[in-house]
Amino acid sequence: MKRIFVLFISSMFAVCCFCQVRTIEQAKEEMKGKLIEMCKVINQQTPIRVDEYLTLNSIMFTDWQLISSYCFSVSIDGLSSENIKELRDVAKKMLIENIKAIYVNGGDWGFTMEQFKSMLKDCNLRFLYGFYDINGKLMFNLRIDYNDF
């Protein structure tokens, strides 16, 4: 009787663990599908003018990386390294705030900050951005992941 009880408890534990892993995997697949669909919808509308200086050219999702390409309406040739660094810092702050607005607390996805950070970490999701000048020259790249929140 004792062995049957231990076997029952062990079986229940194994089933619960399997269900939890399956639930996490299902959530990841759902997230992956939403991100792929989001990219398709956005790319049908590109180029998208963000403001008077910035245009989103494309976005794609692959290997848990959301990759976006932007174009500034200026030439890199006329900018100093300090100007480019300042642009990079401002862009990163702006992008982090935009990501929060989309995914966290009342955004389109409705995550809490802790859920969002956990999802980023569990999926190893990264946001990668390439910023180019009006002539197609790379100005800078940005990477945003769970450590930035």
Side-chain angles (χ1 to χ4, degrees):
M1 184 66 156
K2 196 175 189 179
R3 272 204 294 183
I4 293 174
F5 181 72
V6 170
L7 183 61
F8 174 75
I9 295 297
S10 299
S11 298
M12 291 305 291
F13 179 73
V15 167
C16 288
C17 288
F18 175 73
C19 289
Q20 181 66 21
V21 169
R22 186 168 181 222
T23 302
I24 291 169
E25 288 304 314
Q26 287 174 339
K28 283 183 179 180
E29 284 303 309
E30 183 179 338
M31 172 65 76
K32 184 177 179 180
K34 284 182 176 183
L35 290 169
I36 290 169
E37 184 61 27
M38 179 184 75
C39 290
K40 285 180 186 175
V41 169
I42 291 172
N43 281 324
Q44 290 172 352
Q45 302 170 45
T46 57
I48 299 171
R49 192 88 166 148
V50 176
D51 61 30
E52 65 181 295
Y53 300 106
L54 192 63
T55 301
L56 173 64
N57 288 330
S58 66
I59 185 169
M60 67 181 274
F61 175 76
T62 183
D63 296 327
W64 291 102
Q65 296 181 92
L66 196 58
I67 305 167
S68 303
S69 174
Y70 287 90
C71 178
F72 276 107
S73 61
V74 296
S75 172
I76 193 171
D77 297 330
L79 299 175
S80 68
S81 58
E82 291 86 28
N83 292 137
I84 294 171
K85 183 184 179 325
E86 185 178 329
L87 273 174
R88 184 182 188 286
D89 293 344
V90 168
K92 186 166 186 171
K93 286 178 187 174
M94 177 195 74
L95 289 167
I96 288 171
E97 290 307 312
N98 287 343
I99 290 168
K100 286 180 190 177
I102 292 168
Y103 295 97
V104 182
N105 294 334
D108 296 340
W109 298 64
F111 289 112
T112 65
M113 182 52 78
E114 287 307 310
Q115 289 171 331
F116 182 63
K117 284 176 71 172
S118 177
M119 184 273 304
L120 290 177
K121 189 174 182 178
D122 292 344
C123 295
N124 197 25
L125 177 61
R126 293 159 319 278
F127 298 88
L128 305 176
Y129 300 90
F131 289 86
Y132 298 85
D133 78 352
I134 197 150
N135 299 313
K137 293 181 184 175
L138 179 65
M139 295 175 73
F140 56 88
N141 289 315
L142 287 174
R143 175 189 164 131
I144 298 174
D145 62 23
Y146 74 94
N147 292 310
D148 294 301
F149 295 94

